[in-house]
Amino acid sequence: MAAAVGALALGLAGLGATTAAQAADLGNIDTGRTGSILIHKHESGSQNANGTADGQTATGGDGVADVVFTAYRITNLDLTTQSAWDGLQSTQVPADACGADFQTPSLGSYTFDGGKASAATDSQGETSIGDLPVAAYLVCETSSPGTVKTKAAPFLVTVPFPNNSANTASADGSWLYNVNVYPKNVVVQAPTKTVDVSANGLKSDAQVSYPVKAQVPSIASTDSFKHFIISDPLDASLTDGQVASVTIDGEDVSSSYYTVTTGQTVSLGFTKAGLEFLKTKPNSTVEVVFTAKVVTVPDGGVIDNTATFYVDTVPQSTPPDNPPLTPPDEPGTPTNKVVTSWGDVRVSKTDADNSKALQGATFQVYDAQDPYAASCEGAVRTGAPISVDGTTEFTSDGDGVVSIAGLFVDKKNGAPGEASVTPDHAQRCYVLVETAAPAGYVLPSSADTPLTVKTGVTATGSYDLTVTNTKQNVPQLPLTGANGRLLLMALGIILVAIAGGSALVARSRRTREQKS
């Protein structure tokens, strides 16, 4: 936040001589009386009306809980004397009056006591600091929750407070010993993030999407947004960061209101026109959907992702002409962590007869109907073949290895503040289908093989699965043996019969010749 300057407008009141016991009808300050500061802590811009010192105006407003204030008494300013009031009206309170730690007050030549702290504000943003003697106090917001972007500007309060028309809109001319104050904060709610996976095979465009939701803070009418940026730095296993969509309360936001920076750190920053638009949408939800491609499986298999929300305001009626569109050099508010897990696949293709590696077998991989079954043995394929790096077919190499670069295993959205997020499942079921066997080998009649993909990288020399092929059957060769001997015997008998027949024919012919 830009430095805010607060000043307490104080009227001068004539102080008469006081006695230990003052008359009830005197208008003088009762120097023996104590008072209190009644604190109403609201989000900037959330009140329906400005508060008044007497607390009689209904302001509404969203309370900010768990904020602690400390009232530091100015010890060298005695408000029981006329001269002490001189100059208070023009006292300027700089934004750093409470020190860098918000507990070390410093204001001109004034000196301070050790301070008196309030209890933490309740859910309505209410607390008080009581039993305060007549004095001027510098009030500092000394503690606040992480949702508070910048602590409230320090301010001066006098006890009592002159409740006249010069100092408050609800004046009755009295001295107020119980003074109502309404310090405000720009409250930044932590953005939330989820993750979705649309393609289970590595190296698919925009396969991982990261929707990020951020609430637009409510800010004072006199302030403007300095910047409003949501940024998503990608892990080294991701690439091609893009913005798929930008909506507010479910409606598309005009692209003229923001600029997208793509790449390894993908960001969306609102332009001046966009910042003016956001001011009209307090407490609305901006959703930016980032996308990325998974290019490698890291050693552990898990890819973390956390986005960051950067928002700030300036005390002026319009935003800067050229607001930053990428992350500024200041801390932002992180989302919860989300993770996805991936695993590669190594399949050994071998000869069923001799276990030698086989080259040239082709496979496809499919999702399983029950991806997280206790056992993948009965996995049944579903859907279309999965594409990995643009191909749906994977062939065994010269070492008989079928390599699939990476498949999706699981995802998980971490809780706010959760540093380590682990997916619920360490493995996922797929189905490997052999579509072509090497030449001379049989393609199995049931080519579907259940495949268990585990998170992480499969070690060299290890395999997730071994698939064998048997050789083709061929016609029988003509071989000697029992059948051959029978054939020879039959041929021999035929030849003997032929020879015997020839001899009989020749004898019959000679007999006829002799008779003649």
Side-chain angles (χ1 to χ4, degrees), residues 144-325:
S144 56
T147 54
V148 171
K149 173 63 178 175
T150 303
K151 289 179 168 59
F155 55 94
L156 282 176
V157 176
T158 61
V159 175
F161 180 84
N163 192 35
N164 58 8
S165 59
N167 294 294
T168 181
S170 179
D172 63 3
S174 66
W175 288 99
L176 288 176
Y177 290 85
N178 299 305
V179 186
N180 290 266
V181 295
Y182 301 81
K184 299 174 181 62
N185 285 120
V186 172
V187 175
V188 179
Q189 301 293 341
T192 60
K193 187 170 200 174
T194 56
V195 60
D196 293 303
V197 176
S198 60
N200 286 7
L202 211 69
K203 299 183 180 180
S204 299
D205 290 339
Q207 67 188 116
V208 181
S209 59
Y210 296 109
V212 177
K213 293 182 178 181
Q215 182 174 300
V216 180
S218 174
I219 64 175
S221 60
T222 54
D223 291 345
S224 295
F225 284 111
K226 180 181 178 181
H227 56 254
F228 191 107
I229 299 164
I230 302 174
S231 182
D232 196 355
L234 301 179
D235 182 270
S237 296
L238 302 171
T239 191
D240 194 26
Q242 303 285 340
V243 170
S245 64
V246 184
T247 60
I248 187 165
D249 293 338
E251 300 291 331
D252 289 340
V253 175
S254 170
S255 60
S256 65
Y257 286 160
Y258 60 83
T259 295
V260 172
T261 302
T262 59
Q264 203 59 26
T265 296
V266 56
S267 301
L268 178 137
F270 280 82
T271 62
K272 179 180 181 180
L275 296 177
E276 291 174 333
F277 168 72
L278 291 177
K279 185 175 178 178
T280 68
K281 298 288 186 178
N283 300 314
S284 292
T285 299
V286 173
E287 182 180 62
V288 179
V289 178
F290 298 103
T291 62
K293 176 194 294 186
V294 182
V295 290
T296 59
V297 176
D299 287 341
V302 177
I303 302 174
D304 295 345
N305 187 266
T306 303
T308 305
F309 178 35
Y310 301 87
V311 63
D312 207 344
T313 62
V314 288
Q316 59 191 46
S317 59
T318 59
D321 289 336
N322 297 294
L325 301 172

Side-chain angles (χ1 to χ4, degrees), residues 51-122:
T52 52
D54 62 4
Q56 297 303 305
T57 302
T59 63
D62 299 324
V64 181
D66 299 323
V67 180
V68 175
F69 290 86
T70 301
Y72 294 96
R73 180 180 177 180
I74 301 178
T75 56
N76 59 345
L77 191 67
D78 183 3
L79 293 191
T80 65
T81 65
Q82 159 66 36
S83 60
W85 291 84
D86 292 339
L88 279 178
Q89 181 178 14
S90 59
T91 298
Q92 299 294 306
V93 183
D96 60 356
C98 295
D101 61 355
F102 303 98
Q103 300 179 45
T104 310
S106 176
L107 185 61
S109 60
Y110 293 136
T111 58
F112 299 90
D113 68 1
K116 187 170 186 179
S118 71
T121 54
D122 61 19

Side-chain angles (χ1 to χ4, degrees), residues 466-515:
T466 297
V467 180
T468 62
N469 282 117
T470 58
K471 298 179 181 69
Q472 290 277 6
N473 291 326
V474 295
Q476 293 279 328
L477 293 175
L479 302 173
T480 60
N483 291 336
R485 288 195 298 271
L486 290 173
L487 179 61
L488 291 174
M489 290 174 63
L491 289 173
I493 291 170
I494 293 172
L495 289 174
V496 170
I498 293 173
S502 297
L504 290 174
V505 170
R507 181 182 298 175
S508 177
R509 183 179 298 155
R510 286 196 301 271
T511 300
R512 286 195 302 268
E513 290 176 351
Q514 290 174 358
K515 289 180 179 182

Side-chain angles (χ1 to χ4, degrees), residues 384-427:
I386 295 172
S387 173
V388 177
D389 196 15
T391 183
T392 58
E393 297 211 331
F394 312 95
T395 303
S396 58
D397 61 17
D399 295 320
V401 178
V402 182
S403 297
I404 302 175
L407 294 170
F408 171 62
V409 177
D410 200 7
K411 64 179 181 177
K412 189 169 186 178
N413 302 320
E418 188 176 6
S420 179
V421 181
T422 303
D424 296 332
H425 305 96
Q427 64 183 44

